[in-house]
Amino acid sequence: MNTILKLLFLLLISSLALYGGVVAKVDAKRVELGDVVTLSLIVSGEDVTRPNVQRVCESDVISTSTQTNMQIINGSVSKNFTLNYTFMPQKSCKIEPVEIEIDGKIERSNPLEIEVALQSMTKDADFTLTLSSDKKELFVGEPFELTLTFKQKRDSEAVDIKFLPPEFKGFWVKSETQPQRYQDAKESITKIVYTMAPQRAGELKTTKAQMQIASRSGGANGFSTWIPTVKWKSYFSNELTFDVKPLPSGITIAGDFTISATADKEEVDANEPLNVTIDVIGDGNLEDIKSFKPSIEGVAVFDEKILIEKDVLTQRIAFVSERDFVIPSFSIKYFDPKTKETKIASTKEISIKVKNAKPQEVLNIKKHETQSEVSEDLKAPKIGIFASLTLFLSGLALGVLIMFFMKKKNFKREDKRSIKDPKTLLMKLLSFRDDEEVKAMIETLEKNIYSNQNIELDKKILRKIKERYKI
């Protein structure tokens, strides 16, 4: 044994001489994908600057360690350092020389090559990891299930297990089950089921899932002593490829759905909120459904955020009005992947009765004619046709002028009254809600009226809006 140790030491000394004080070696030059490799840099010198090695063979360094060795042979003392870098190569590669400063001089290690073979998938393997799906051809937004299965032989040992899930780029992950564990006569089986939907058309792939397994290992040191260690190995699943087809033009929802709308009452007082709950139930990409908020003339409408729980979408919408109104039908247009047809699901209109409704203001101008009988003695002297016509037109013009000025005066009074009455002002502004300034003014009024807030209106902007739309 001493002879062998001496030979090894001589080989090390010769290698250090050849490569200037630093020699690189690995614990395995041929490995399977998922195996962990340790690169050791054996450095001889007194003053050593440790290199900053973060990646080896285009793979991140998992862990590092340092050992200091001292040997005395025939009275001579030699000292060397071993710098260990653990990594997991993803493919066959070449480890480039590492530069280290030793006693003020830059030294370079020898290059090494690593051969990485694909992981052998056999039925007798201690650990297996697979991905499977019930569908391989899909439409955008069509839901499907993907199952991840991990099997471990009952007689195999694992000190520790770490799971790294696959990446689902281009997919929505709608839900993920908790790990389901059970056993059969030979294996312990764990399953996770993902409910997913593709986001875009084309060929989409999942990456490999990874399971890191730590098992007991060991080796002998220089004194022939067995040292127990823990060795990590990664097991990879297969990849899955999906052929995703686009939806018909103008369609963004895929699946099978039903829709319902329920009002909390059919009769309300004027300016009392009425709540409607809309439910969409079905198997599909509910996430792409937009708000159902409608636009109804003379009615203030407030929509809440859409909520999705499993296969149910719910939205609440409030309506406030001074007069009777009709809530329009709500509908959803979608593509059914099973029948390959475009379908529409819709609700019925809902008529709402408003008690103490404010009557619709209608301006009627009536022409009043008075007739009186005058005795022959009191009749005015007859005048010519031209004079009569002139007199009639003058009187008509005077009447029109009087009505115009009276209407203008009343309009100004009504205008001033409307500004002071927030609800009346809100109703007048609703017709112009497409204007951003008007929209902001409406939101402020709604908060003041229905949320008991006290936000001051911008009078300059309000004056501009009045002039712009002749309110």
Side-chain angles (χ1 to χ4, degrees):
M1 180 62 68
N2 291 332
T3 304
I4 295 174
L5 290 176
K6 288 181 179 180
L7 289 174
L8 291 174
F9 180 73
L10 290 174
L11 288 173
L12 178 63
I13 293 298
S14 60
S15 298
L16 290 174
L18 180 62
Y19 289 101
V22 55
V23 174
K25 69 174 186 176
V26 291
D27 57 351
K29 290 188 176 183
R30 298 187 65 181
V31 295
E32 281 190 350
L33 180 64
D35 286 335
V36 173
V37 177
T38 299
L39 167 67
S40 298
L41 300 178
I42 304 169
V43 183
S44 177
E46 293 295 330
D47 185 10
V48 177
T49 301
R50 182 168 177 167
N52 182 21
V53 180
Q54 296 183 346
R55 290 177 63 83
V56 179
C57 271
E58 301 181 8
S59 299
D60 291 336
V61 172
I62 300 172
S63 63
T64 62
S65 63
T66 304
Q67 294 175 325
T68 303
N69 302 312
M70 295 186 66
Q71 291 184 349
I72 303 175
I73 299 178
N74 298 327
S76 299
V77 179
S78 64
K79 181 179 180 182
N80 62 69
F81 303 89
T82 302
L83 309 177
N84 298 312
Y85 302 92
T86 303
F87 65 100
M88 185 186 299
Q90 302 297 309
K91 59 183 179 180
S92 298
C93 58
K94 180 180 180 180
I95 300 177
E96 299 295 338
V98 179
E99 293 185 349
I100 302 178
E101 184 178 348
I102 304 173
D103 298 331
K105 183 181 179 182
I106 300 297
E107 304 286 355
R108 302 176 82 240
S109 66
N110 53 297
L112 293 170
E113 291 189 357
I114 302 292
E115 183 180 344
V116 180
L118 293 178
Q119 203 168 74
S120 58
M121 301 291 290
T122 63
K123 293 183 179 180
D124 296 330
D126 289 341
F127 306 95
T128 59
L129 188 63
T130 58
L131 287 176
S132 60
S133 173
D134 57 343
K135 297 179 182 179
K136 293 295 179 66
E137 293 185 358
L138 301 160
F139 287 90
V140 173
E142 181 181 354
F144 70 99
E145 288 187 348
L146 183 148
T147 303
L148 175 67
T149 305
F150 174 65
K151 295 182 179 181
Q152 176 182 351
K153 277 193 172 182
R154 298 189 68 173
D155 57 355
S156 63
E157 292 186 3
V159 178
D160 195 5
I161 297 177
K162 296 179 181 179
F163 171 61
L164 299 177
E167 293 183 1
F168 300 124
K169 292 182 179 180
F171 296 90
W172 287 290
V173 180
K174 300 164 70 67
S175 65
E176 174 186 343
T177 65
Q178 292 296 320
Q180 305 165 17
R181 297 183 176 89
Y182 58 94
Q183 292 184 343
D184 60 17
K186 296 181 178 180
E187 297 173 316
S188 174
I189 302 171
T190 303
K191 287 188 176 182
I192 299 176
V193 179
Y194 300 89
T195 301
M196 304 166 58
Q199 294 178 331
R200 62 177 185 270
E203 185 180 88
L204 297 183
K205 291 184 178 182
T206 66
T207 61
K208 297 178 180 179
Q210 181 180 351
M211 194 72 77
Q212 296 178 354
I213 309 293
S215 57
R216 289 184 175 88
S217 181
N221 61 7
F223 300 97
S224 301
T225 302
W226 179 263
I227 301 176
T229 59
V230 172
K231 186 173 182 179
W232 287 89
K233 179 180 177 66
S234 288
Y235 295 83
F236 296 90
S237 73
N238 55 309
E239 294 179 341
L240 290 179
T241 302
F242 297 89
D243 180 17
V244 184
K245 300 176 182 178
L247 293 174
S249 178
I251 305 297
T252 58
I253 312 298
D256 189 15
F257 305 94
T258 60
I259 184 172
S260 63
T262 306
D264 60 354
K265 57 188 76 173
E266 296 182 356
E267 189 173 321
V268 293
D269 290 324
N271 295 318
E272 177 187 356
L274 172 90
N275 296 310
V276 172
T277 302
I278 302 169
D279 290 317
V280 178
I281 303 175
D283 185 17
N285 53 324
L286 295 170
E287 297 81 3
D288 284 339
I289 296 178
K290 307 300 182 183
S291 174
F292 289 98
K293 180 180 179 181
S295 177
I296 306 175
E297 185 176 357
V299 181
V301 184
F302 309 90
D303 61 331
E304 295 184 5
K305 184 179 179 181
I306 288 177
L307 299 177
I308 298 176
E309 185 174 352
K310 295 184 178 179
D311 59 351
V312 179
L313 177 148
T314 302
Q315 185 177 34
R316 286 169 55 89
I317 301 179
F319 301 83
V320 180
S321 178
E322 293 184 339
R323 302 181 183 87
D324 296 349
F325 63 98
V326 175
I327 298 174
S329 170
F330 301 103
S331 63
I332 174 175
K333 190 175 183 180
Y334 63 94
F335 178 77
D336 189 338
K338 294 180 180 179
T339 63
K340 306 295 188 294
E341 295 177 337
T342 298
K343 299 180 179 180
I344 298 178
S346 58
T347 66
K348 294 181 179 180
E349 294 182 344
I350 304 175
S351 298
I352 304 300
K353 179 69 176 177
V354 178
K355 296 182 290 185
N356 304 317
K358 183 178 179 181
Q360 186 75 29
E361 295 181 0
V362 180
L363 180 62
N364 293 321
I365 301 176
K366 294 183 179 180
K367 180 179 179 182
H368 296 278
E369 295 181 356
T370 58
Q371 294 182 351
S372 60
E373 295 183 0
V374 184
S375 64
E376 290 291 335
D377 295 336
L378 297 177
K379 286 182 179 179
K382 292 182 179 181
I383 57 178
I385 295 175
F386 179 77
S388 299
L389 183 60
T390 303
L391 183 61
F392 172 76
L393 293 175
S394 300
L396 181 62
L398 180 61
V400 171
L401 288 172
I402 292 172
M403 290 182 66
F404 174 77
F405 285 112
M406 289 182 65
K407 183 177 179 181
K408 186 173 182 181
K409 184 175 181 181
N410 291 334
F411 179 80
K412 289 183 178 180
R413 290 177 180 173
E414 175 66 19
D415 182 60
K416 291 180 180 179
R417 183 189 67 81
S418 299
I419 296 174
K420 294 180 181 179
D421 181 13
K423 292 182 180 180
T424 304
L425 178 59
L426 175 61
M427 294 303 172
K428 290 188 175 184
L429 292 178
L430 287 173
S431 300
F432 312 105
R433 67 178 70 192
D434 293 336
D435 187 314
E436 290 298 326
E437 289 185 335
V438 174
K439 184 178 180 181
M441 189 67 65
I442 288 174
E443 291 178 355
T444 302
L445 287 167
E446 289 174 344
K447 291 178 182 178
N448 289 344
I449 296 170
Y450 304 111
S451 301
N452 297 323
Q453 298 187 33
N454 189 20
I455 304 174
E456 186 176 353
L457 300 178
D458 191 322
K459 294 181 180 179
K460 290 184 179 180
I461 295 179
L462 180 58
R463 191 179 301 113
K464 286 168 56 181
I465 293 173
K466 285 175 50 189
E467 294 174 355
R468 187 181 307 155
Y469 296 108
K470 310 299 180 186
I471 298 177

